[in-house]
Amino acid sequence: QVQLVESGGGSVQAGGSLRLSCAVSGIIINLKTMAWYRQGPGKQRELVAQITSSFNTTYTDSVKDRFTISRDNVKNSVSLEMNRLTPEDTAVYYCALLPPYKQPPYWGQGTRVTVSS
């Protein structure tokens, strides 16, 4: 029943921008922490950005000041604006809903981002 669907991925040249969106159904995100993860070629999955129910945000150092995570509780969605992209940002990006009390997260199917030099 719970479904997270990412969109907005694609190919862009270095220095460009993309905006990813995650539409959530089957669960209300209002009181949930939301996050974006990514997995690049030959790399481990890493947390990129996180936004709590109180709208507090956290970013991994490599994207700080370039990416912005936001949420729209009315639309039940979360977005990731990515600016000044570099080839190191090339990855499959996953939206995640992080429940409280150590419950496992819900994952989207992922959307591919390719940044060319």
Side-chain angles (χ1 to χ4, degrees):
Q1 180 71 13
V2 176
Q3 191 173 19
L4 285 67
V5 180
E6 301 96 334
S7 61
S11 298
V12 65
Q13 290 187 325
S17 300
L18 285 173
R19 185 178 180 89
L20 308 182
S21 296
C22 174
V24 182
S25 60
I27 190 171
I28 302 299
I29 73 168
N30 181 263
L31 301 178
K32 304 297 193 297
T33 294
M34 302 295 297
W36 286 94
Y37 288 76
R38 69 184 180 187
Q39 186 167 17
K43 299 180 179 180
Q44 298 283 323
R45 182 180 63 189
E46 67 171 340
L47 176 64
V48 177
Q50 180 176 286
I51 183 167
T52 71
S53 60
S54 300
F55 292 82
N56 293 320
T57 59
T58 305
Y59 301 91
T60 191
D61 287 343
S62 63
V63 309
K64 188 175 178 62
D65 300 322
R66 297 190 299 119
F67 291 11
T68 302
I69 187 172
S70 61
R71 65 191 299 152
D72 187 331
N73 290 335
V74 174
K75 296 181 179 179
N76 214 48
S77 66
V78 60
S79 297
L80 183 69
E81 182 179 352
M82 306 183 295
N83 298 312
R84 305 195 307 279
L85 286 161
T86 77
E88 291 298 314
D89 297 317
T90 295
V92 178
Y93 285 73
Y94 299 91
C95 180
L97 184 154
L98 309 180
Y101 310 118
K102 302 297 184 181
Q103 299 175 59
Y106 295 96
W107 296 97
Q109 83 287 352
T111 185
R112 286 181 169 84
V113 171
T114 302
V115 184
S116 61
S117 60

